[in-house]
């Protein structure tokens, strides 16, 4: 075998190859260093602000802070709506690993009910994203302690302290104050229409009824914000910066809480309402509708059982009868119609008629009865008010006609809102030819006008409208509309609210005011007056008018005294009055449903209220 020849190595070629490889490696390393440096430059300089914000977003949480709701006071400085500290169990859903498991564990640990869980699910659907959802409101100290001992087991769950609305006088002021409750979809749409979404970022409750609803934007205040440093689990480590919220305005109402409680005590089990005002400025001193309910039930979410009890109650406690109850005004409007008759010279102070107990038009078989079957004998306009003679007003209404009645009574505010500071108000109905044609597609008949002459037929009014109308008579046509808000409290100083005035009622003969007011005083003062018995031996002078509103028609040949009448068809008892007669300080409307005669049922309550206001209360002060 031949011996193989050894190849001679080319050191120059190998050296060149090695050099090229080294250069490539160095270039590659330099390129990597350049890329790294470029990325570092981009991250630390070019995109510094962006990544700083992201980093802070993981470390710092900006949360909205709800403002404290304004306090509500009565006219004497007594708190009637306040904020109480409470503890709520809240869940930040995006921080919870397994929501179903967490809810099950919390339910067992804190003995939560199925209602609590169901309410949480409803709130969760309505709540804005990334906002905590309340699982349990108003937790007891025991439950707070139990959860605190186990909080480390529940990521995203915390107990938060907050202020909750509280109404110390409960059902006594429900229909005045209303209540606050959880924000729902309709409320969110309303807030959006105000352009105030950001201002409600941390707010869970909103005014739903009464003063709370009417003055929501003033009571709510302005939202604040806080920057919090948090750990990896979202728990707050410290507060970095705080922009404090601005509390809502504190309101002072015209309501006198002692008078309000007294009025409540007078109604007892009767269905109806009482409204008391100062006729000198229209300020509402008391407004109570019976039956009522406790508004605190709604603040943290009313249970289905409690709500069903309220809406199924045949006495309708949710209805504010003072501003929503629409009743035939009956004889309460006879003083107003007397003014109209005098103004249009259909009657004079000397006009007299023979009341035989009924009224009948020539060639018409139908008769319209007086409430006193034997009649009142010879009466003039003044006595017809004092004894509440229907026949006189049948005749006067016939002569006036519905067009004149409609035009003049509209000046007193009948058929329109009084603009009292409650959104729940009804406007009642002041009938006219046009209204009947639009409503029933029927013409207006003479009989319709005659019924309107005693406040019956299609005419309906709310108690607050009737009180507004009597205040207009007291002030000789000047109109101070009913008003609940008295002032705004700032730094313990009450800044008065502007009065709610309307266009005055003009009369051609000012002495007509005096005649009508004298007749109302004699209704109380003289023995034959329909309110004399109720006000006998009063230590002050007063004026008023009784009313008994009939709720069904009696046949021409029937005697109402012989009929068996269902409770819900019995007459409404009403009284409208003021005192003292020469310098009125108080005006009162009492409206009782299905209670019977106004003089025997409503007037005594008015007497008690006036006695309290003009006697007992001021004697104590």
């Amino acid at each position: 075998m031949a011996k193989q020849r050894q190849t001679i190595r080319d050191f120059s070629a190998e050296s060149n190859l090695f050099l090229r490889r080294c250069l490539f490696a160095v270039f590659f390393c330099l390129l990597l260093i350049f890329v790294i440096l470029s990325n570092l430059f981009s991250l630390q300089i070019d995109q510094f602000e962006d990544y700083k914000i992201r980093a802070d977003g993981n470390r710092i949480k900006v949360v909205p802070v709800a403002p404290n709701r304004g306090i509500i006071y009565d006219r004497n400085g007594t708190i009637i709506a306040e904020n109480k500290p409470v503890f709520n169990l809240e869940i930040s859903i995006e921080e919870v690993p397994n929501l179903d498991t967490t809810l099950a564990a919390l339910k067992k640990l804190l003995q939560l009910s199925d209602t609590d869980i169901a309410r949480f699910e409803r709130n969760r659907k309505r709540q804005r994203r990334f906002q905590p959802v309340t699982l349990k409101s108003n937790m007891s100290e025991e439950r707070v302690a139990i959860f605190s001992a186990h909080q480390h087991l529940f990521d995203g769950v915390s107990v938060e302290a907050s202020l909750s609305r509280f109404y110390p006088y409960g059902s006594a002021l429900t229909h005045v104050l209303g209540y606050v409750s959880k924000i729902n979809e309709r409320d969110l749409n309303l807030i959006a229409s105000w352009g105030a979404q950001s201002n409600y970022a941390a707010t869970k409750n909103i005014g739903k009824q009464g003063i709370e609803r009417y003055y929501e934007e003033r009571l709510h205040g302005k939202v604040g914000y806080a920057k919090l440093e948090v750990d990896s689990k979202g728990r707050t480590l410290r507060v970095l910066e705080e922009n404090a919220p601005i509390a809502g305005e504190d309101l002072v109402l015209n309501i006198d809480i002692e008078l309000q409680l007294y009025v409540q005590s007078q109604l007892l089990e009767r269905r109806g309402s009482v409204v008391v005002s100062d006729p000198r400025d229209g300020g509402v001193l008391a407004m109570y509708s019976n039956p009522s309910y406790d508004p605190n039930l709604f603040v943290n979410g009313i249970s289905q059982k409690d709500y069903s009890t309220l809406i199924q109650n045949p006495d309708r406690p949710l209805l504010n009868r003072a501003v929503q109850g629409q009743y035939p005004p009956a004889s309460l409007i006879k003083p107003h119609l007397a003014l109209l008759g005098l103004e249009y010279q259909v009657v004079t102070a000397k006009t007299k008629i023979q009341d035989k107990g009924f009224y009948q038009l020539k060639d018409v078989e139908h008769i319209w009865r007086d409430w006193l079957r034997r009649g009142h004998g010879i009466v003039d306009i003044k006595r017809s008010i004092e004894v509440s003679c229907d026949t006189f007003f049948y005749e006067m209404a016939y002569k006036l006609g519905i067009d004149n009645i409609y035009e003049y009574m509209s000046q007193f505010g009948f058929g329109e809102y009084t603009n009292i500071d409650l959104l729940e108000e009804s406007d009642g109905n002041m009938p006219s030819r046009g209204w009947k044609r639009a409503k029933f597609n029927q013409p207006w008949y003479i009989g319709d006008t005659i019924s309107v002459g005693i406040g019956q037929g299609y005419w309906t009014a709310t108690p607050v409208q009737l009180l507004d109308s009597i205040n207009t008579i007291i002030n000789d046509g000047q109109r101070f509309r009913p008003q609940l808000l008295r002032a705004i409290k700032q730094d313990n100083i009450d800044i008065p609210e502007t009065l709610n005035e309307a266009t005055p009622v003009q009369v051609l003969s000012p002495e007509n005011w005096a005649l009508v007011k004298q007749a109302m005083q004699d209704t109380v003062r003289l023995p034959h007056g329909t309110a004399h018995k109720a006000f006998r031996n009063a230590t002050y002078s007063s004026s008023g008018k009784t009313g008994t509103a009939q709720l069904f028609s009696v046949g021409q040949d029937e005697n109402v005294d012989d009929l068996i009448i269902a409770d819900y068809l019995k007459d409404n008892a009403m009284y409208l009055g003021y005192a003292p007669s020469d310098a009125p300080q108080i005006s009162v409307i009492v409206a009782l449903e299905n209670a019977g005669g106004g003089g025997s049922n409503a007037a005594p309550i008015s007497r008690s209220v006036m006695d309290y206001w003009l006697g007992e209360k001021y004697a104590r002060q």
Side-chain angles (χ1 to χ4, degrees), residues 97-290:
N98 188 312
L99 183 59
D100 292 336
T101 302
T102 299
L103 288 175
L106 288 171
K107 181 178 180 181
K108 182 177 180 181
L109 176 67
L110 301 176
Q111 302 297 308
L112 301 179
S113 66
D114 292 336
T115 301
D116 294 327
I117 303 299
R119 185 182 296 121
F120 168 80
E121 293 295 344
R122 289 196 303 270
N123 292 338
R124 176 187 170 194
K125 294 176 182 178
R126 294 196 294 256
Q127 198 81 347
R128 305 172 186 89
R129 288 188 63 192
F130 308 118
Q131 277 199 317
V133 183
T134 301
L135 175 58
K136 180 67 177 179
S137 300
N138 201 13
M139 293 178 67
S140 65
E141 293 183 2
E142 180 183 0
R143 288 187 177 183
V144 171
I146 292 173
F147 175 77
S148 298
H150 298 81
Q151 185 171 3
H152 64 283
L153 301 175
F154 298 98
D155 291 338
V157 185
S158 62
V159 172
E160 301 293 339
S162 65
L163 295 176
S164 179
R165 203 60 157 174
F166 178 68
Y167 305 101
Y169 293 96
S171 62
L173 284 167
T174 299
H175 293 107
V176 172
L177 297 176
Y179 56 85
V180 300
S181 191
K182 302 296 182 184
I183 293 176
N184 57 30
E185 289 295 332
R186 185 174 62 180
D187 300 322
L188 291 175
N189 294 332
L190 180 62
I191 292 169
S193 70
W194 297 340
Q197 298 96 317
S198 61
N199 198 36
Y200 280 78
T203 303
K204 297 177 181 178
N205 286 1
I206 192 171
K208 299 281 188 174
Q209 297 283 337
I211 287 292
E212 294 278 24
R213 181 186 178 199
Y214 192 91
Y215 292 110
E216 167 60 30
E217 294 182 80
R218 298 173 72 167
L219 285 165
H220 177 263
K222 294 184 179 180
V223 69
Y225 292 90
K227 277 187 178 181
L228 308 177
E229 184 177 5
V230 297
D231 61 15
S232 60
K233 294 186 177 182
R235 291 175 295 201
T236 300
L237 299 177
R238 60 180 175 139
V239 178
L240 300 176
E241 184 181 337
E242 189 171 9
N243 183 9
I246 300 175
E249 294 180 348
D250 293 338
L251 306 184
V252 180
L253 302 189
N254 280 303
I255 293 292
D256 184 292
I257 185 58
E258 292 184 1
L259 178 63
Q260 182 80 10
L261 293 172
Y262 184 81
V263 167
Q264 181 186 36
S265 71
Q266 295 303 299
L267 284 182
L268 299 176
E269 301 301 320
R270 300 182 179 100
R271 292 192 315 277
S273 64
V274 176
V275 187
V276 185
S277 78
D278 185 336
R280 295 168 293 188
D281 59 11
V284 178
L285 303 174
M287 175 187 288
Y288 182 70
S289 175
N290 201 52

Side-chain angles (χ1 to χ4, degrees), residues 163-425:
L163 295 176
S164 179
R165 203 60 157 174
F166 178 68
Y167 305 101
Y169 293 96
S171 62
L173 284 167
T174 299
H175 293 107
V176 172
L177 297 176
Y179 56 85
V180 300
S181 191
K182 302 296 182 184
I183 293 176
N184 57 30
E185 289 295 332
R186 185 174 62 180
D187 300 322
L188 291 175
N189 294 332
L190 180 62
I191 292 169
S193 70
W194 297 340
Q197 298 96 317
S198 61
N199 198 36
Y200 280 78
T203 303
K204 297 177 181 178
N205 286 1
I206 192 171
K208 299 281 188 174
Q209 297 283 337
I211 287 292
E212 294 278 24
R213 181 186 178 199
Y214 192 91
Y215 292 110
E216 167 60 30
E217 294 182 80
R218 298 173 72 167
L219 285 165
H220 177 263
K222 294 184 179 180
V223 69
Y225 292 90
K227 277 187 178 181
L228 308 177
E229 184 177 5
V230 297
D231 61 15
S232 60
K233 294 186 177 182
R235 291 175 295 201
T236 300
L237 299 177
R238 60 180 175 139
V239 178
L240 300 176
E241 184 181 337
E242 189 171 9
N243 183 9
I246 300 175
E249 294 180 348
D250 293 338
L251 306 184
V252 180
L253 302 189
N254 280 303
I255 293 292
D256 184 292
I257 185 58
E258 292 184 1
L259 178 63
Q260 182 80 10
L261 293 172
Y262 184 81
V263 167
Q264 181 186 36
S265 71
Q266 295 303 299
L267 284 182
L268 299 176
E269 301 301 320
R270 300 182 179 100
R271 292 192 315 277
S273 64
V274 176
V275 187
V276 185
S277 78
D278 185 336
R280 295 168 293 188
D281 59 11
V284 178
L285 303 174
M287 175 187 288
Y288 182 70
S289 175
N290 201 52
S292 185
Y293 60 94
D294 185 359
N296 293 300
L297 293 172
F298 285 86
V299 175
N300 294 310
I302 189 170
S303 68
Q304 187 60 47
K305 178 181 178 182
D306 289 337
Y307 188 65
S308 296
T309 300
L310 287 176
I311 62 175
Q312 292 171 9
N313 188 330
D315 291 332
R316 299 185 296 171
L318 294 174
L319 178 71
N320 184 353
R321 288 167 164 82
V323 297
Q324 293 177 301
Q326 301 186 55
Y327 308 106
S331 297
L332 299 188
I333 49 78
K334 287 177 179 175
H336 310 72
L337 288 168
L339 274 172
L340 174 57
L342 292 167
E343 279 291 294
Y344 282 70
Q345 298 181 346
V346 168
V347 295
T348 69
K350 297 180 179 181
T351 300
K352 296 181 180 181
I353 69 165
Q354 176 71 38
D355 174 23
K356 298 179 181 179
F358 64 91
Y359 178 73
Q360 189 171 17
L361 292 171
K362 185 178 180 180
D363 300 326
V364 176
E365 294 184 2
H366 187 90
I367 63 172
W368 286 268
R369 296 171 175 171
D370 196 290
W371 69 268
L372 187 65
R373 291 183 65 84
R374 67 175 183 273
H376 296 92
I378 297 176
V379 294
D380 58 13
I381 192 167
K382 182 173 173 294
R383 188 177 178 88
S384 68
I385 294 174
E386 296 162 4
V387 299
S388 200
C389 173
D390 292 335
T391 305
F392 190 95
F393 287 92
Y394 289 145
E395 171 73 13
M396 191 169 67
Y398 171 70
K399 292 179 179 179
L400 284 168
I402 189 59
D403 296 331
N404 289 328
I405 294 174
Y406 172 78
E407 180 182 355
Y408 197 72
M409 291 303 109
S410 296
Q411 293 185 50
F412 280 92
F414 291 110
E416 66 178 37
Y417 299 105
T418 66
N419 290 326
I420 189 173
D421 30 4
L422 293 174
L423 293 177
E424 299 81 50
E425 184 185 13

